[in-house]
């Protein structure tokens, strides 16, 4: 009798175990799978750079001698102080660092500022590189350089899109003439090409366009410098100092955006800075910094 009473208990226990396993492996109360073919979303890849170089040591001494000619004439202790540079105040040296130098010469004062910004995306669907490109594009737009993509080509790619865009422009009070003026910096940048471009006599963004040999080339996009780069020329009268001439080169390499600002302030108002020289030296330094990042 004991044996006969024991067997149904074992059978009942086995049925409960099988039922429990089926419930765990099944879906909801309706018997449907709770995750039917849900794709696995991989997070966007991180940027190449996890740290930044020491900014005040990023520029070689020989380069500083060339960029700050007045420093070579200073006494030893003052010269060392100039070459040491002044680090920018920052609270996270893994995200943003900078350094500045300044030297006075009898005929002019030269100043140099470099900034490194490592961009990090906190959105798993957006990579660090894409986020850094957004930062770069905002700075390019602020410099007056529009996208190299021609608006007309984009409009022609979609049937009827040109008329729609024209109507939207009219609603915003933007005529065809204004659209043409907005595109002019881009066209001058594209026609200017890279570093060896020659001026065509047409004033570009931030340039006087007088044709004087001391006038620099206009602001433009640059080739063969990082993943993307542009140069902004701010000649005399473009800032608070009438004779100050500043050149900025901004480039992006992976998730780091680098800015180089090089300026000259003549000692006399009758003197004019050589904008071409400022541009050439600023670009040369930017390329050295790009090489240093890639080491």
């Amino acid at each position: 009798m004991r044996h006969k009473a024991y067997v149904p208990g074992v059978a009942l226990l086995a049925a409960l175990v099988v039922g429990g396993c089926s419930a765990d492996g099944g879906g909801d109360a309706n018997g449907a799978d709770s995750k039917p073919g849900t794709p696995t979303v991989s997070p966007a890849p991180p940027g190449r750079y996890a740290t930044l170089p020491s900014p005040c040591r990023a520029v070689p001494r020989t380069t500083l001698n060339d960029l700050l000619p007045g420093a070579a004439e200073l006494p030893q202790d003052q010269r060392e102080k100039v070459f040491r540079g002044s680090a920018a105040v920052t609270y996270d040296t893994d995200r943003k660092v900078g350094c500045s130098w300044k030297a006075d010469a009898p005929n002019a004062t030269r100043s140099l500022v470099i900034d490194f910004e490592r961009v990090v995306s906190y959105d798993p669907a957006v990579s660090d590189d894409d986020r850094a490109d957004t930062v770069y594009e905002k700075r390019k737009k602020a410099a007056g350089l529009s996208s190299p993509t021609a608006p007309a080509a984009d409009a022609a790619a979609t049937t009827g899109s040109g008329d729609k865009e024209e109507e939207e422009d009219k609603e915003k009070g933007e005529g065809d003439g204004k659209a043409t003026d907005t595109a002019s910096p881009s066209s001058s940048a594209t026609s200017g090409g890279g570093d060896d471009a020659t001026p065509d006599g047409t004033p570009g963004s931030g340039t006087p366009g007088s044709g004087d040999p001391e006038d620099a080339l206009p602001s433009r996009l640059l080739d063969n410098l990082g993943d993307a780069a542009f140069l902004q020329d701010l000649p005399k009268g473009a800032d608070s100092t009438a004779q100050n001439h500043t050149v900025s080169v901004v480039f992006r390499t992976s998730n780091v955006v680098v800015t180089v600002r090089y300026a000259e302030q003549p000692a006399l108002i009758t003197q004019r800075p050589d904008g071409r020289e400022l541009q050439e030296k600023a670009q040369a330094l930017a390329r050295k910094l790009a090489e240093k990042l890639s080491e």
Side-chain angles (χ1 to χ4, degrees):
M1 294 296 292
R2 294 178 181 175
H3 183 69
K4 292 181 180 180
Y6 180 75
V7 172
V10 174
L12 178 60
L13 179 61
L16 291 174
V17 171
V18 173
C21 293
S22 300
D24 292 339
D28 53 19
N30 297 325
D33 190 356
S34 59
K35 298 179 180 179
T38 302
T40 302
V41 179
S42 301
R48 175 180 178 182
Y49 303 100
T51 60
L52 293 172
S54 176
C56 293
R57 298 180 181 178
V59 184
R61 176 66 66 90
T62 54
T63 303
L64 288 175
N65 267 322
D66 181 46
L67 296 174
L68 307 171
E73 303 174 6
L74 296 173
Q76 179 68 23
D77 56 340
Q78 296 182 27
R79 183 165 64 248
E80 291 300 321
K81 182 178 180 180
V82 168
F83 287 153
R84 243 188 337 261
S86 178
V89 177
T90 180
Y91 299 99
D92 189 351
T93 55
D94 284 336
R95 292 292 302 276
K96 191 171 184 178
V97 294
C99 192
S100 60
W101 297 262
K102 184 178 181 181
D104 297 325
N107 59 339
T109 296
R110 296 279 181 106
S111 60
L112 171 68
V113 179
I114 61 172
D115 289 305
F116 296 89
E117 180 178 356
R118 185 176 68 91
V119 181
V120 177
S121 172
Y122 294 101
D123 185 349
V126 180
S127 68
D128 293 345
D129 284 18
D130 289 341
R131 176 59 182 157
D133 187 60
T134 300
V135 173
Y136 167 81
E137 288 294 330
K138 288 182 178 179
R139 296 185 183 178
K140 186 177 74 172
K141 183 178 180 181
L145 297 171
S146 58
S147 173
T149 303
D154 292 340
T158 305
T159 304
S161 62
D163 297 337
K164 183 178 180 180
E165 291 178 358
E166 184 177 354
E167 292 175 0
E168 292 177 352
D169 289 342
K170 289 181 179 179
E171 292 177 358
K172 296 178 182 178
E174 298 177 355
D176 294 341
K178 184 175 181 180
T180 304
D181 294 340
T182 305
S184 60
S186 175
S187 60
S188 62
T190 306
S191 63
D195 304 340
D196 298 331
T198 57
D200 56 5
T202 303
S205 173
T207 57
S210 63
D212 193 294
E214 291 184 347
D215 290 335
L217 295 172
S219 301
R220 62 196 182 278
L221 304 180
L222 300 177
D223 297 327
N224 304 319
L225 177 56
D227 296 321
F230 71 84
L231 181 148
Q232 183 182 20
D233 188 86
L234 297 175
K236 53 195 173 300
D239 55 15
S240 58
T241 306
Q243 293 297 319
N244 189 68
H245 195 129
T246 303
V247 171
S248 293
V249 175
V250 179
F251 70 92
R252 179 184 72 84
T253 175
S254 185
N255 61 318
V256 171
V257 179
V258 182
T259 302
V260 175
R261 288 187 295 274
Y262 186 44
E264 177 180 341
Q265 172 66 51
L268 302 175
I269 60 174
T270 55
Q271 296 175 327
R272 300 185 62 185
D274 188 340
R276 290 178 179 271
E277 179 192 6
L278 295 175
Q279 287 195 15
E280 290 172 359
K281 291 187 175 182
Q283 291 181 72
L285 175 57
R287 298 187 189 282
K288 289 181 180 180
L289 295 177
E291 293 174 358
K292 185 174 184 64
L293 284 171
S294 62
E295 292 178 352

